[in-house]
Amino acid sequence: MDVNLNLDTQVVPITLFVAVLCLCLVIGHLLDENRWVNESITAIIIGCVVGTIILIISNWKSSHFLRFDEQLFFIYLLPPIIFNAGFQVKKKKFFQNFLPIMLFGVTGVFISTSIVAAGCWWVFPKFGLKGLTISEYLSLGTIFSSTDTVCTLQVLHQDETPLLYSLVFGEGVVNDATSVVLFNAVQKINADTLGGKAALRILLDFLYLFSTSTILGVTAGLLTSYILRGLGIGRHSSVREIALMILIAYLSYMLAELLELSGILTVFFAGVLMSHYAWHNVTESSRITTKHTFAAMSFIAETFIFLYVGMDALDYEQWKMSILSFWASIGMYSSVMLLILVGRAAFVFPLSVISNYMNRVGDGSSKITAKHQVVIWWAGLMRGAVSVALAFKQFTLSGVTLDPIDATMITTTIVVVLFSTIVFGFLTKPLISYLLPPNTSNIDRTRSLKEDMTLPLLSFEESASEKSI
Amino acid sequence: MDVNLNLDTQVVPITLFVAVLCLCLVIGHLLDENRWVNESITAIIIGCVVGTIILIISNWKSSHFLRFDEQLFFIYLLPPIIFNAGFQVKKKKFFQNFLPIMLFGVTGVFISTSIVAAGCWWVFPKFGLKGLTISEYLSLGTIFSSTDTVCTLQVLHQDETPLLYSLVFGEGVVNDATSVVLFNAVQKINADTLGGKAALRILLDFLYLFSTSTILGVTAGLLTSYILRGLGIGRHSSVREIALMILIAYLSYMLAELLELSGILTVFFAGVLMSHYAWHNVTESSRITTKHTFAAMSFIAETFIFLYVGMDALDYEQWKMSILSFWASIGMYSSVMLLILVGRAAFVFPLSVISNYMNRVGDGSSKITAKHQVVIWWAGLMRGAVSVALAFKQFTLSGVTLDPIDATMITTTIVVVLFSTIVFGFLTKPLISYLLPPNTSNIDRTRSLKEDMTLPLLSFEESASEKSI
């Protein structure tokens, strides 16, 4: 249709982006067996390569064809990822370990944010970077406290180390929500109001957002179950069931955003409730479909984000704008990485001790051993999509910034995300095999358990494939 | 998240729209058993009601919260609908009846377009509407020749009247593609070039677009099968399989648009090939998932469009801008409706005779009876989403028009879509029960056949539901 072929429309960038996404998917599959690489790393590296090509073609003008808009991220990409996390979470394990998960995911973010914010405040001026406000330092604290645990989850075995898996997964989700809520809470802070009263206000704001968002999510989940069950929608078509689950989940997220609550928490709890109650009220085909569709949507959104981060890393303009010398920049990146390492260690080890102390009456199955503590600490060192999105929200206006300090903050975030994802990510598999040598007889159980929905169907598949087509 | 709460962002309209979509879905389900209503009618009526409410709240300024952008339609809404049509089509029946389907879907559109265009050219000036170019009259011809067969398909029984079902379904899809391709072909026509040479050029353009688009779609489908089979992606995760099928299908559509081909045809054939070859190379859970996911995506997109048409019908500004008197408008709407009726009759009955003549050597099972001819004629009288999208493309700039003639064309299209969908739609069920009295013993077979993928699983469901969660 030639009418669409104005190069200023969205057709060209969307086509290119979808093509690169396909490429990521196929290469990610080919590298699946690789010891060092995971999907995030693949996407980031492909993003870098594509960014380089575009940079050369466009004569060093731009490295990407879509402007990053944090609205795009918060409205379209984040909801499916978080909803899927809630939908796939093992609810029993999650609620069994609710206390340590909350300790790590909520208290931990507060501790890490304080340390990173204070550290930046102390160290940035030494590299010649001045002019950030208290609120911006606190924002940086939350930006660098939001973890990305995808990489570690890919190498942990859910049935060999169920406690560890559940802790890392649970913390990852709660951490995402907490850092976004806290990020919004610290926006209102300024130097004059800082003090005990302001800290109390942040805390109250946080508790209010946390509880109301949870209630909204739970309500959305229960409402869906009620509609699915009460109206018996599945009697007539699975399509309506699936459409309804997707739409109500998305509605709850948008409604939370509209009411100035945390959409992440809401959609997470909507996912948990839907998988618990709605799941029992839908047809078998809807169960299989929703499970895989939500996972596929989340997978595409995640790949999309890492791809973008890779491309954005080569944004030439941003780098030119930075006011720091090469060595000052290196110094600043290293300091931030160090602060992340320290900030995370400062809560993982003490909070593990507290968690073990509270669980001392049990049979020891929920004790967090020293090796597990190291794995938990390591699992949360990667920084990902949420960090980038928050940084863009804080330091750009719809993805564009003209201020050198803001540009420096964006490049710092991207360097930290790239470095932590690639370097720490590369080291994760070897580290975990060293700390937790796999029980060889069990090594393939995760994969078979992952497919436990489909395996019993495989025998049926052969005989039915003729009929059903 | 308060940062998003600027009312000029997309959060408010998206939230409202998703809420109304949910409402449509639930009400559509409740009215499912109703004799007169179908889903398109429900969505249009709900759209009208919501439009009225918004009109009152906004003080008669606007009846919708999202501006219709035909890019939105062609880039995001149409691809899933057409891809799903290709994916779910009964390939055996489709290719068995390939000749009559092509006769109706291709030749039919040419005949109908000529009659409607000539009729409009003759009748519009009589109502005082002058100033349209030859190219615009031809565009109107294609706009009013694109059918919407959803409504009829909902009441036809696939196993009672397999030939009829396959003809109506097949024609619907081919018709969509043909009218869009023809619409683009006539854009280049002007009064000076009109004649035998121009007609030949349109035909050649059309054949070129038709064949290249088909080849691209077939290639995309085969490529997907090759990747899925050759790389054994399903061995590791169904999620990748599903994501890859969606992404490559979408990529083929966008690529076709980029190459100035017909994305509709491409994505339709990609769907046909994927369901034929790729389907055999994926895991059982991917089969169930893709089948339902594509149907759900298509369902949401369709509901979205009808909802929008309903809301747009109350766009006050458009009505005020019309230059015609009330009676002249009524006269014009009636003439267009009459032209649609005549234009369709002019090809359905003659082409049926031709098709029967060509099939005279067969056993008579593929003979199109007189009653069937009436049903086919009736099935194509409804006008839907494609008409609206093409009208917006021709007569507005990103959904906005300031020209009174253009505004009149938009309102005419909307009246025709509303009237044909609601009035003809209401009459479809009674008409079909009158012409083809249902065989009572078979009356529920369609539904059970629809679910034939899921039924064999239901017995398994009970025992597996404990384990799999």
Side-chain angles (χ1 to χ4, degrees), chain A residues 22 39 41 146 156 244 270 298 358 376 382 384 388 398 403 445:
Chain A
C22 287
E39 241 136 37
I41 298 181
S146 94
L156 282 181
L244 200 70
S298 164
M358 290 191 299
I376 294 173
M382 274 65 88
V388 175
S398 296
D403 180 69
R445 277 180 58 199

Side-chain angles (χ1 to χ4, degrees), chain B residues 73-74 78 104-105 108-110 112-113 116 138-150 171-183 264 306 340 344 347 379-391 413 416-417 420-421:
Chain B
F73 177 79
F74 281 108
L78 198 57
F104 288 131
V109 171
F110 277 86
S112 169
T113 298
V116 174
L138 285 170
S139 300
L140 278 176
T142 61
I143 289 170
F144 291 124
S145 295
S146 94
T147 66
D148 184 75
T149 39
V150 174
E171 193 218 323
V173 175
V174 178
N175 170 295
D176 275 353
T178 310
S179 40
V180 175
V181 175
L182 197 57
F183 176 87
I264 293 192
F306 280 107
I340 289 174
R344 189 159 175 86
F347 75 83
L381 291 179
M382 273 65 87
R383 294 294 171 269
V386 175
S387 299
V388 175
L390 292 180
T413 310
V416 168
V417 170
S420 65
T421 306

Side-chain angles (χ1 to χ4, degrees), chain A residues 1 29 39 231 240 261, chain B residues 1 29 39 184 231 240 261:
Chain A
M1 285 181 244
H29 164 74
E39 241 136 37
L231 304 182
R240 275 215 198 90
L261 307 176
Chain B
M1 285 180 245
H29 165 74
E39 240 136 39
N184 287 310
L231 305 183
R240 275 216 199 92
L261 306 175

Side-chain angles (χ1 to χ4, degrees), chain B residues 77-286:
Chain B
L77 299 175
L78 198 57
I81 296 177
I82 306 291
F83 176 69
N84 182 54
F87 198 81
Q88 317 274 356
V89 75
K90 300 269 160 182
K91 280 153 292 293
K92 209 176 145 198
K93 285 269 160 235
F94 182 80
F95 288 108
Q96 251 173 15
N97 300 309
F98 193 72
L99 210 67
I101 287 173
M102 284 296 155
L103 267 180
F104 288 131
V106 179
T107 323
V109 171
F110 277 86
I111 297 174
S112 169
T113 298
S114 318
I115 292 177
V116 174
C120 288
W121 173 79
W122 185 69
V123 88
F124 278 11
K126 298 201 191 305
F127 291 114
L129 197 88
K130 285 163 193 165
L132 288 177
T133 65
I134 296 290
S135 157
E136 283 173 321
Y137 280 119
L138 285 170
S139 300
L140 278 176
T142 61
I143 289 170
F144 291 124
S145 295
S146 94
T147 66
D148 184 75
T149 39
V150 174
C151 168
T152 316
L153 285 181
Q154 284 172 351
V155 288
L156 282 180
H157 294 269
Q158 188 159 9
D159 15 314
E160 277 186 43
T161 51
L163 173 69
L164 193 58
Y165 189 93
S166 138
L167 286 180
V168 170
F169 185 94
E171 193 218 323
V173 175
V174 178
N175 170 295
D176 275 353
T178 310
S179 40
V180 175
V181 175
L182 197 57
F183 176 87
N184 287 310
V186 301
Q187 295 293 312
K188 301 165 196 156
I189 300 296
N190 60 54
D192 307 329
T193 61
L194 198 72
K197 221 171 151 186
L200 188 71
R201 225 193 91 196
I202 294 181
L203 191 71
L204 286 179
D205 256 21
F206 177 82
L207 288 176
Y208 165 76
L209 287 179
F210 205 95
S211 50
T212 44
S213 308
T214 306
I215 292 169
L216 184 61
V218 170
T219 312
L222 290 176
L223 181 73
T224 314
S225 325
Y226 173 76
I227 294 177
L228 288 178
R229 189 202 190 91
L231 305 183
I233 285 185
R235 275 203 312 272
H236 297 100
S237 94
S238 325
V239 171
R240 275 216 199 92
E241 286 183 337
I242 299 158
L244 199 70
M245 285 171 84
I246 295 179
L247 288 175
I248 295 190
Y250 192 61
L251 184 62
S252 73
Y253 180 88
M254 295 305 278
L255 209 59
E257 294 290 293
L258 202 62
L259 299 172
E260 306 195 33
L261 306 175
S262 162
I264 293 192
L265 269 177
T266 304
V267 82
F268 172 73
F269 280 103
V272 171
L273 269 280
M274 274 194 206
S275 75
H276 192 65
Y277 292 105
W279 179 273
H280 287 284
N281 297 318
V282 299
T283 58
E284 175 68 16
S285 48
S286 291

